[in-house]
Amino acid sequence: MIDAVGDEAVVELRVAELADAPTMLRLIHAAFAARPPVDPPAAALSETLADIEAHLVEGYGVVADVDGVPAGTLLLTPRADGVVYMHRVSVHPDHRQAGLAAAMVRGAAELAADLDARWIELLCRREFPQTLRWWQRHGFTIDREDDLGHILRRRLPVRVEVPTADDMHRLGASLAGLLRAGDLVIATGELGAGKTTLTQGLGEGLQVDGPIISPTFVLSRIHPSRVGGPGLVHVDAYRLGSAAELEDLDLDASLADSVTLVEWGAGLAEGLSSDRLEVDIRRDADRGDTTGEDEGRQVYVVGVGPRWATVDLGVLAVEGATR
Ligand SMILES: Nc1ncnc2c1ncn2[C@@H]1O[C@H](COP(=O)(O)OP(=O)(O)OP(=O)(O)O)[C@@H](O)[C@H]1O
Ligand SMILES: [Mg+2]
């Protein structure tokens, strides 16, 4: 799992091995010690190496390396009810940077989706309303309360196998069947992952004017419908440094009567709408499980917000699998 964050730093996410436990313990202690004290104190602070090792035996860990240096970690514990419990979400204070925690959580959600879980949950201490808002911006909602805080949960992405570029095109076309005017799609994935290919399929499915090309030099392009349906607004946020610059594109004006797809929108475009479809494209090679010749991709699709609460995205996986 590789994730580009910002312009320079390369964030690499990996599934922890038992040998990572000492590093994870150090990161967890550093991150939790940097938080304002709470009563009772976070259990993380008194956790030992044996505890971390036990967590790794019964579940999974994720380690985020920034330019090769371990900078963040988290633990995942699968439960029998289709929920993966995420805990000890830690970013070392020396490595606080835009997007790192979000990249870790995205990786964690993918890992949990690969485990066939339906939900990811975590505890957010009641003392930290700002942290609660961060989780809410990242699609988590309060499910219930417990003694120490809110139990937050988020639906896990549906995973679609996409062996070829044609399949990616078809996935985009199937996606069109689920979308309507006002919908926002945020597409993530490294250079050449297939975001534009997916958008081309989407444009075909929506029956909008083409050609849909990589809008890297033009930040956004409007493709009107040929059939009186919603148009497609195709945005490339790669060169945008901030959500404020995205606002300058004035997408709000077209949002309501179009389908809007933002490439490289993660971390920037969430503010455009509380309802959105997040599409994260991963290459087989990123996952270290092919020789590099394979052109396979895994696409993780998750809906965030009330708009998507009752939409069955599983149809995308089924359609993908039957071709
Ligand atoms: N399974 C696959 N899915 C999608 N694209 C594939 C696949 N296999 C090979 N490809 C090729 O990979 C390339 C993907 O390019 P595309 O422009 O869609 O990526 P992108 O994510 O938009 O890149 P950028 O970050 O530069 O905008 C295309 O040349 C496509 O033919
Ligand atoms: Mg592109």
Side-chain angles (χ1 to χ4, degrees):
M1 296 187 260
I2 295 180
D3 245 302
V5 168
D7 283 341
E8 311 98 21
V10 173
V11 175
E12 190 164 352
L13 300 177
R14 56 192 171 83
V15 179
E17 293 167 11
L18 214 47
D20 290 309
T23 300
M24 294 171 71
L25 183 68
R26 183 175 58 76
L27 291 170
I28 291 169
H29 281 173
F32 278 76
R35 295 181 188 186
V38 285
D39 183 27
L45 286 168
S46 51
E47 214 154 35
T48 65
L49 188 56
D51 295 327
I52 303 292
E53 286 172 345
H55 286 311
L56 290 178
V57 168
E58 74 177 279
Y60 299 83
V62 171
V63 177
D65 295 321
V66 174
D67 294 334
V69 180
T73 192
L74 56 80
L75 287 164
L76 295 174
T77 306
R79 295 197 316 230
D81 55 357
V83 175
V84 167
Y85 184 63
M86 175 163 61
H87 48 142
R88 310 295 182 253
V89 180
S90 305
V91 172
H92 192 281
D94 293 346
H95 288 276
R96 283 199 192 118
Q97 57 181 288
L100 178 56
M104 281 181 6
V105 170
R106 216 163 42 236
E110 286 176 11
L111 183 56
D114 288 346
L115 298 170
D116 287 331
R118 305 298 305 265
W119 298 91
I120 190 163
E121 266 189 17
L122 66 117
L123 165 71
C124 176
R125 290 289 292 246
R126 214 164 274 120
E127 294 92 333
F128 300 134
Q130 246 182 312
T131 311
L132 172 63
R133 281 194 292 279
W134 189 89
W135 289 110
Q136 287 172 327
R137 275 202 307 283
H138 289 82
F140 288 79
T141 54
I142 297 177
D143 183 64
R144 58 190 188 275
E145 301 293 330
D146 92 347
D147 296 347
L148 292 178
H150 320 287
I151 304 292
L152 308 181
R153 58 160 52 186
R154 178 180 158 162
R155 197 188 285 275
L156 285 166
V158 167
R159 177 180 175 204
V160 189
E161 287 294 334
V162 181
T164 69
D166 281 350
D167 292 319
M168 186 66 83
H169 200 94
R170 277 193 283 271
L171 176 62
S174 316
L175 211 52
L178 296 176
L179 293 168
R180 61 183 191 219
D183 285 340
L184 172 67
V185 182
I186 297 183
T188 311
E190 66 173 80
L191 285 170
K195 302 180 290 296
T196 300
T197 306
L198 178 90
T199 312
Q200 286 163 345
L202 176 59
E204 190 182 293
L206 290 173
Q207 303 189 56
V208 298
D209 272 348
I212 291 170
I213 52 171
S214 208
T216 300
F217 297 103
V218 179
L219 292 175
S220 99
R221 228 181 263 275
I222 299 177
H223 301 276
S225 170
R226 291 194 305 264
V227 292
L232 173 65
V233 178
H234 182 200
V235 184
D236 195 325
Y238 185 62
R239 278 161 208 282
L240 294 181
S242 66
E245 287 178 50
L246 189 66
E247 259 169 47
D248 288 345
L249 294 179
D250 207 16
L251 295 170
D252 289 347
S254 55
L255 212 53
D257 42 35
S258 314
V259 168
T260 303
L261 182 142
V262 187
E263 294 192 31
W264 295 103
L268 288 175
E270 287 82 1
L272 286 174
S273 169
S274 52
D275 294 310
R276 58 188 183 267
L277 206 58
E278 298 185 354
V279 179
D280 198 357
I281 306 175
R282 302 275 165 174
R283 270 188 234 244
D284 285 350
D286 300 342
R287 304 163 66 93
D289 53 9
T290 71
T291 55
E293 281 172 17
D294 206 306
E295 49 179 14
R297 309 282 195 271
Q298 290 77 39
V299 180
Y300 296 85
V301 186
V302 68
V304 177
R307 156 76 175 98
W308 296 104
T310 55
V311 177
D312 180 14
L313 296 172
V315 297
L316 296 171
V318 173
E319 286 175 23
T322 53
R323 279 178 222 282

